[in-house]
């Protein structure tokens, strides 16, 4: 099989396309023919070991101290079950599935194995692989952070999404709308029409206006780009309001229910996949370069070819 492989941290040039053996599923695993994946801010960060201070220490412990423990990056996949282990009961060959591999990575390859009880679920039949895969990274992160702030329990919540046009931000707008919130999105002028199209009720362009001067008060503020602080936003919160940022030490905890929710939203046409660019696996370096700019709108998809 083909895979994007790296043996040392560094610029996109450390990635090379290698031929590797197709993995064999153990008794509790499924073998997936991967049709699409994404390059996320997380992949780029790990490839470059881009973090500082305590975060860098934690990152080295997780992904490999001096060289990567997992030479194939990629945490999202959409594809078709090819083969199942002898004890697998929840999937069968031919099932359309999508999911996340977390710190196991391994999705930038044409085949992967995943434990049956891991973050993998059936993908809606009508959803295209590239669309399905594009909602996973940002969607799972947004669900995790917004649920931790108890959004589903707040009636007609007022929600402020800072950094509304990235992978996490575009999903966060749609999730907040799904739960009936009134959403204010902060993005640049170039992201205004995207935010509006995703359902944001009010939009503030950070390159034109200072969002900290907003008169409104919010139940929930999510910094979906990791560039803002609670201190900056404290006065914008209602008395019981909550602030969280994706940029700190807090991780988006993963549960299977989160992807099941994303699948349901796709099924009901309540979640619009936002795809900025699609690259073939062979152009994975280009994809990393683009994601590394920090300016992508939504998601960057990797398309797998099966000869
Ligand atoms: N803690 C966790 O568990 C967790 C999980 C996932 C992701 N993350 C972190 O979350 C962050 C966001 O991830 P992502 O994949 O969504 O990022 P991304 O897609 O790469 O974000 C890019 C977007 O951010 C916008 N942006 C850049 N600077 C901005 C600013 N100052 N204000 C508002 N918007 C701005 C850009 O729009 P413009 O160019 O138009 O400004 C662009 O659309 C990353 O730092 C990632 O590491 C954390």
């Amino acid at each position: 099989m083909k895979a994007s492989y790296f043996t040392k941290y560094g610029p996109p040039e450390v990635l090379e396309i290698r031929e590797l053996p197709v993995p064999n599923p153990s008794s509790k695993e499924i073998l997936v023919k991967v049709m699409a994946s994404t390059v996320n801010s997380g992949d780029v960060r790990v490839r470059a070991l881009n973090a500082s201070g305590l975060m860098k220490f934690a990152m080295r412990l997780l992904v490999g101290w001096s060289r990567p423990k997992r030479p194939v990056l990629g945490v999202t996949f959409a594809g078709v079950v090819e083969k199942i282990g002898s004890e697998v009961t929840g999937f069968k060959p031919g099932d359309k599935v999508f999911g996340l591999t977390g710190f196991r990575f391994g999705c930038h390859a044409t085949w992967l194995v995943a434990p049956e009880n891991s973050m993998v679920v059936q993908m809606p039949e009508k959803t295209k692989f590239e669309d399905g895969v594009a909602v996973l990274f940002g969607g799972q992160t947004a669900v995790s952070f917004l649920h931790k702030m108890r959004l589903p329990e707040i009636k007609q919540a007022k929600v402020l999404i800072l950094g509304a046009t990235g992978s996490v931000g575009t999903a966060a707008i749609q999730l907040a709308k799904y739960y009936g919130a009134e959403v204010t999105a902060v993005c640049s002028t170039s992201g205004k029409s995207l935010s509006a199209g995703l359902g944001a009720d009010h939009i503030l362009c950070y390159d034109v206006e200072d969002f900290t001067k907003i008169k409104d008060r919010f139940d929930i503020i999510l910094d979906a780009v990791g560039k803002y602080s609670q201190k900056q936003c404290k006065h914008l919160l209602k008395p019981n309001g909550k602030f969280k940022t994706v940029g700190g030490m807090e991780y988006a905890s993963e549960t299977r229910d989160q992807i099941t929710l994303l699948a349901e939203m796709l099924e009901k046409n309540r979640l619009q996949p936002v795809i900025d660019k699609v690259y073939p696996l062979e152009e994975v370096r280009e994809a990393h370069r683009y994601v590394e700019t920090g300016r992508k709108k939504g998601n960057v998809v990797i398309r797998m070819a099966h000869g």
Side-chain angles (χ1 to χ4, degrees), residues 137-172:
F137 178 79
Q140 186 271 329
T141 307
V143 176
S144 174
F145 276 87
L146 290 174
H147 280 193
K148 279 191 215 173
M149 291 192 275
R150 302 190 177 280
L151 172 63
E153 293 163 32
I154 308 170
K155 281 216 172 81
Q156 293 165 339
K158 284 194 159 209
V159 174
L160 176 65
I161 310 287
L162 306 172
T165 55
S167 179
V168 181
T170 50

Side-chain angles (χ1 to χ4, degrees), residues 45-87:
R45 204 176 268 264
V46 172
R47 189 213 71 233
L49 202 69
N50 177 13
S52 52
L54 204 56
M55 289 281 269
K56 191 153 195 158
F57 181 81
M59 198 190 231
R60 279 184 189 276
L61 284 178
L62 280 168
V63 301
W65 194 262
S66 52
R67 61 204 302 265
K69 281 194 242 180
R70 305 279 182 175
V72 178
L73 287 168
V75 297
T76 63
F77 64 93
V80 181
V81 176
E82 176 79 7
K83 207 165 147 186
I84 59 170
S86 57
E87 293 176 52

Side-chain angles (χ1 to χ4, degrees), residues 39-42 45 55 137-138 140-142 144-145 148 161-170 186-191 194 206-207 223-228 245-253 276 290-299:
V39 173
N40 302 305
S41 48
R45 204 176 268 264
M55 289 281 269
F137 178 79
Q140 186 271 329
T141 307
S144 174
F145 276 87
K148 279 191 215 173
I161 310 287
L162 306 172
T165 55
S167 179
V168 181
T170 50
V186 173
C187 58
S188 71
T189 312
S190 68
L194 172 61
Y206 71 81
D207 47 355
D223 166 21
V225 69
K227 294 193 173 176
Y228 300 92
T245 176
V246 295
M249 291 295 279
E250 184 170 352
Y251 268 88
S253 40
D276 187 329
Y290 185 56
V291 174
E292 203 152 41
T293 63
R295 307 256 82 102
K296 76 175 158 67
K297 301 284 190 277
N299 299 277

Side-chain angles (χ1 to χ4, degrees), residues 221-246:
I221 301 180
L222 175 64
D223 166 21
V225 69
K227 294 193 173 176
Y228 300 92
S229 67
Q230 176 146 22
K231 204 171 156 198
Q232 265 177 299
C233 308
K234 225 164 139 188
H235 64 287
L236 299 176
L237 286 169
K238 287 185 183 175
N240 290 323
K242 297 182 186 76
F243 169 93
K244 278 194 187 292
T245 176
V246 295

